[in-house]
Amino acid sequence: MKMDLETRKKRAEVIVTKLKELFPTTKSALEYCNPWEFLVAVMLSAQCTDVAVNKATEKLFRKYNTITDYVNADPEEFNSDIKTIIFHNNKTKNVLATAKIIHEKYKDKLPQTMDEMLALPGVARKTANVVLGIEFGVVVGIAVDTHVRRLSNLFGLTTNDNPDKIEKDLMEVLPQKEWPEFTLRMIDYGRKFCPARKHDHEHCPLFLELKKAELI
């Protein structure tokens, strides 16, 4: 049953407050040194663990120091460099094509609007939201990854499974200033307290907090 907007807003307020208490500071688990490397890492992370991405990019970022290095990269060699990453064939095509666009159209600087980011090969809303919000403070949406999708449904912030619809539901109930770190904190929370595997969910901190607030 779909919950009314006011109840969802109350739940969101309790959840954000508790997440801040549990994770006063937060940052992406991906390792990088500049906005371009962050974009590459996020693109590689689709359906892949951050641990696997960091292991691959540790060598990748040493080998390819500049966007020009990516533009001049041999596709077969680059593909071999990221062969441990799931869907590495498509990701090779997208990363190298994006590098060419960034180099030629944007003079090696990442664009800072959603429309421009979405025009880049392999960049969907989740990736664009993460990069724009964290690197440039451009907050136009909420990145919905697997943790955000699962936990937002679990705690009654949405009843949708489609990431775009989930994002819209979350934008209705969360203050815009909370959007970038909400995703990061939900990821941290899912990993530390509430994984997808079977566990004692009724003793998860957010469940207990919502229960205390009589919102469950």
Side-chain angles (χ1 to χ4, degrees), residues 61-212:
F61 292 159
R62 285 203 302 265
K63 182 174 181 178
Y64 302 92
N65 299 127
T66 67
I67 293 182
T68 303
D69 291 334
Y70 289 80
V71 173
N72 296 329
D74 176 75
E76 288 188 12
E77 184 177 350
F78 189 89
N79 194 35
S80 178
D81 291 332
I82 64 167
K83 63 184 177 182
T84 58
I85 300 293
I86 191 170
F87 302 130
H88 56 86
N89 291 327
N90 283 335
K91 291 177 181 179
T92 289
K93 293 176 184 176
N94 289 333
V95 168
L96 298 186
T98 291
K100 187 175 181 180
I101 293 171
I102 297 296
H103 179 65
E104 294 179 352
K105 185 174 181 179
Y106 298 105
K107 310 303 180 187
D108 293 351
K109 303 293 184 182
L110 265 61
Q112 296 183 30
T113 70
M114 177 61 74
D115 287 344
E116 289 175 310
M117 288 292 287
L118 292 179
L120 298 173
V123 176
R125 280 195 66 88
K126 186 193 81 169
T127 297
N129 274 322
V130 169
V131 175
L132 289 174
I134 292 177
E135 286 301 298
F136 303 113
V138 177
V139 182
V140 293
I142 300 172
V144 178
D145 80 328
T146 54
H147 290 283
V148 174
R149 180 172 59 185
R150 178 174 59 84
L151 295 174
S152 294
N153 272 278
L154 191 61
F155 295 118
L157 299 181
T158 184
T159 57
N160 286 300
D161 193 52
N162 178 282
D164 290 343
K165 292 181 179 179
I166 293 172
E167 181 183 9
K168 183 178 178 181
D169 287 342
L170 293 176
M171 289 167 69
E172 283 183 331
V173 299
L174 292 165
Q176 187 173 5
K177 65 180 182 179
E178 305 291 351
W179 293 355
E181 292 192 339
F182 175 78
T183 294
L184 296 177
R185 288 190 170 103
M186 286 287 261
I187 292 171
D188 289 341
Y189 183 83
R191 288 172 174 163
K192 184 171 182 177
F193 296 107
C194 197
R197 65 179 179 273
K198 188 176 180 180
H199 64 287
D200 188 7
H201 173 64
E202 292 193 0
H203 286 86
C204 284
L206 286 183
F207 182 89
L208 293 174
E209 202 69 15
L210 289 169
K211 189 174 182 180
K212 185 169 68 175

Side-chain angles (χ1 to χ4, degrees), residues 20-40:
K20 286 183 174 181
E21 178 187 319
L22 294 170
F23 306 103
T25 60
T26 189
K27 65 176 184 177
S28 173
L30 295 170
E31 297 172 356
Y32 62 97
C33 292
N34 55 58
W36 165 249
E37 287 188 352
F38 188 43
L39 174 58
V40 172

